[in-house]
Amino acid sequence: SYPGGKLDGVGPNTGLMLTLHNWGGTDCVGTADPRELAAKLDVVALCVNYLQSGKESITGPEPYDFGYLQALDALRALWWLNDGLAKRGKPFAPHRTFCTGGSGGGNVTLMANKLAPRTF
């Protein structure tokens, strides 16, 4: 979600923000609404369907790894967003990078901060 709902809303003070769903959820379920975050905080807000999103978290054969692999998925998505804006020549504020999440998404947020502490 872009500030103002469009890529044109991204400017030199616009930051980046991950908003991560709850355990067993998908998309933006159980986390802060990316449209509201983009509008109120001047960020490009991104939801991530990471490893074991949805029913796979319950029925999949792999055990839960405490959020490490999910955090790596989220960090890759953040890189993708950063890279995409840079390749389009869009000015933005990469030093304004944030992450939030609800329930299990909060745990993934914590793991992302542990794995890449200078990112946020």
Side-chain angles (χ1 to χ4, degrees):
S1 294
Y2 300 111
K6 296 182 182 177
L7 181 60
D8 291 342
V10 175
N13 295 320
T14 302
L16 309 176
M17 187 163 192
L18 293 170
T19 181
L20 304 173
H21 64 73
N22 61 330
W23 189 245
T26 57
D27 303 321
C28 302
V29 173
T31 191
D33 185 326
R35 293 168 297 196
E36 293 294 321
L37 293 170
K40 293 179 180 175
L41 302 177
D42 189 19
V43 295
V44 179
L46 180 67
C47 295
V48 178
N49 282 330
Y50 43 74
L51 178 71
Q52 296 180 326
S53 291
K55 286 189 173 190
E56 184 184 347
S57 66
I58 300 165
T59 61
E62 297 86 10
Y64 179 54
D65 72 347
F66 305 103
Y68 292 104
L69 295 176
Q70 293 79 9
L72 290 172
D73 282 351
L75 289 168
R76 279 193 295 269
L78 185 61
W79 175 88
W80 171 83
L81 178 58
N82 188 317
D83 185 62
L85 290 172
K87 283 181 178 174
R88 286 178 176 81
K90 292 299 293 181
F92 67 101
H95 62 279
R96 292 189 64 237
T97 301
F98 309 95
C99 190
T100 190
S103 189
N107 183 60
V108 177
T109 294
L110 175 65
M111 291 295 131
N113 276 275
K114 285 181 176 182
L115 293 171
R118 293 189 177 127
T119 301
F120 303 96

